[in-house]
Amino acid sequence: MTTTERAALDRLKAEVCALHAELLRWGLVAWTSGNVSARVPGSELMVIKPSGVSYEELTPDLMIVCDLDGKVLEGELSPSSDTAAHAYVYRHRADVGGVVHTHSPYATAWAAAGEPIPCAITAMGDEFGDDIPIGPFALIGDDSIGQGIVGTLDGHRSPAVLMRGHGVFTIGASAKAAVKAAVMCEDVARTVHLARQLGQVQRLQQQHIDQLYDRYQNVYGQAAPTAGPEGARA
Ligand SMILES: [Zn+2]
């Protein structure tokens, strides 16, 4: 590894570590139940949280570097128990640079009910471009969670999937984008749930969803380099 590659990997470990604080800040996790990973650009490696370490105790040095088969190359601790699912996504989706998993309560309630979140508000049209879909029920231990994520999100605009009876997985071009999708997923899951307490919820018309998605993904935000889905909402 060159000095430049070393420095870039250390920066990525610090970034992935810091993004875990965002899961706490936005109320997406209880105890140690969520995790963030990032692909190491230009390599077959990823950075992921160690298993069972509280978010307050996480430091960049504790982050795990492993290959896309989950073999640990750097780090003293065991990687997150969800490492196989993250790795499967990176192996099968070259466009994905970050993956997030949470059991955030409102979104996971939809997952427990086995029901997609209907695209009923403009913020959903913007970020998800569709309903947030339900993925299959799958147990941890082999590739079935990864297969369920990739199988559900391939060809789908949504960067979030609600794995039935489990929780949320999100993908993004970067780990930060995947964290943003997880935050937005919980936000719209709560809003649409609250709307249903008031009565029937209508999905937006498809043409409006298409317009919202196109504008937000292609026009919205500041001019490059932070434009698009990763740009700050103002
Ligand atoms: Zn889980």
Side-chain angles (χ1 to χ4, degrees):
M1 196 181 293
T2 66
T3 320
T4 315
E5 285 167 345
R6 181 68 258 172
L9 183 55
D10 286 341
R11 274 199 305 277
L12 192 63
K13 286 165 79 170
E15 183 192 335
V16 173
C17 179
L19 284 168
H20 283 87
E22 297 293 305
L23 304 184
L24 269 190
R25 186 159 80 92
W26 293 97
L28 304 188
V29 290
W31 201 241
T32 64
S33 63
N35 40 69
V36 179
S37 71
R39 187 197 293 275
V40 180
S43 75
E44 296 287 295
L45 304 176
M46 60 188 254
V47 174
I48 193 165
K49 179 184 180 291
S51 180
V53 178
S54 77
Y55 298 104
E56 288 84 356
E57 289 169 335
L58 278 185
T59 59
D61 284 350
L62 289 179
M63 303 307 296
I64 307 293
V65 180
C66 60
D67 68 17
L68 299 187
D69 293 311
K71 181 168 167 252
V72 175
L73 302 173
E74 240 182 81
E76 302 297 315
L77 303 169
S78 306
S80 161
S81 50
D82 295 303
T83 297
H86 290 245
Y88 186 94
V89 175
Y90 293 123
R91 289 204 307 277
H92 291 84
R93 287 284 302 261
D95 58 318
V96 171
V99 177
V100 171
H101 174 49
T102 80
H103 303 158
S104 64
Y106 282 90
T108 301
W110 288 87
E115 203 181 325
I117 305 173
C119 188
I121 47 179
T122 57
M124 270 190 86
D126 288 342
E127 175 75 21
F128 299 95
D130 203 338
D131 303 345
I132 298 178
I134 292 284
F137 178 75
L139 288 178
I140 206 159
D142 56 19
D143 275 343
S144 50
I145 293 179
Q147 283 168 3
I149 299 165
V150 170
T152 307
L153 292 183
D154 257 356
H156 205 291
R157 286 172 177 169
S158 172
V161 52
L162 308 173
M163 291 298 282
R164 184 183 292 271
H166 181 178
V168 181
F169 280 86
T170 61
I171 58 175
S174 66
K176 186 180 175 189
V179 170
K180 182 194 173 198
V183 171
M184 299 305 290
C185 178
E186 178 65 4
D187 188 53
V188 301
R190 180 175 55 221
T191 303
V192 178
H193 167 76
L194 291 172
R196 289 233 287 207
Q197 313 314 300
L198 301 171
Q200 247 190 2
V201 169
Q202 293 275 330
R203 189 177 191 270
L204 301 180
Q205 288 178 27
Q206 188 61 46
Q207 67 180 89
H208 293 150
I209 295 171
D210 292 345
Q211 283 171 11
L212 287 162
Y213 185 73
D214 179 63
R215 174 185 162 277
Y216 189 69
Q217 302 297 320
N218 298 312
V219 182
Y220 182 82
Q222 307 299 316
T226 54
E230 280 193 72
R233 298 184 73 117

